[in-house]
Amino acid sequence: MNYIYILECKDGTFYTGWTNNLEKRCKDHNEGKGAKYTKARRPVKLVYYETYETKQEAMHREYEIKQLSRKEKLNLIQSKKEFE
């Protein structure tokens, strides 16, 4: 399974990425072994994710989400919480 995810950083900013091991990737980000962007903004918190069958699908969706404004990302995160 492949995932796209959004992390909320300590400074309130969002980081979007993709992985095939969501738990490990979140742990890596919090240990400073993730992206350069999150290294200086720890701790990070997983606030959103989606699952995909293929890496290509996940990477395409990651690109789409990275094009969204902060407000649109907040709406996406909130819509997921409403269904939990």
Side-chain angles (χ1 to χ4, degrees), residues 7-8 24-34 38-39 41-46:
L7 302 175
E8 183 174 6
K24 180 183 182 308
R25 188 67 175 143
C26 290
K27 184 175 181 249
D28 287 347
H29 279 291
N30 273 317
E31 292 176 351
K33 295 184 272 183
T38 58
K39 190 173 188 174
R41 294 172 171 85
R42 294 178 287 159
V44 298
K45 177 175 68 170
L46 180 66

Side-chain angles (χ1 to χ4, degrees), residues 2-49:
N2 295 275
Y3 305 87
I4 61 92
Y5 60 92
I6 300 176
L7 302 175
E8 183 174 6
C9 301
K10 181 176 74 172
D11 64 1
T13 59
F14 293 124
Y15 174 83
T16 303
W18 82 271
T19 184
N20 59 11
N21 187 333
L22 189 57
E23 188 176 319
K24 180 183 182 308
R25 188 67 175 143
C26 290
K27 184 175 181 249
D28 287 347
H29 279 291
N30 273 317
E31 292 176 351
K33 295 184 272 183
K36 183 178 176 183
Y37 183 84
T38 58
K39 190 173 188 174
R41 294 172 171 85
R42 294 178 287 159
V44 298
K45 177 175 68 170
L46 180 66
V47 293
Y48 183 83
Y49 71 93

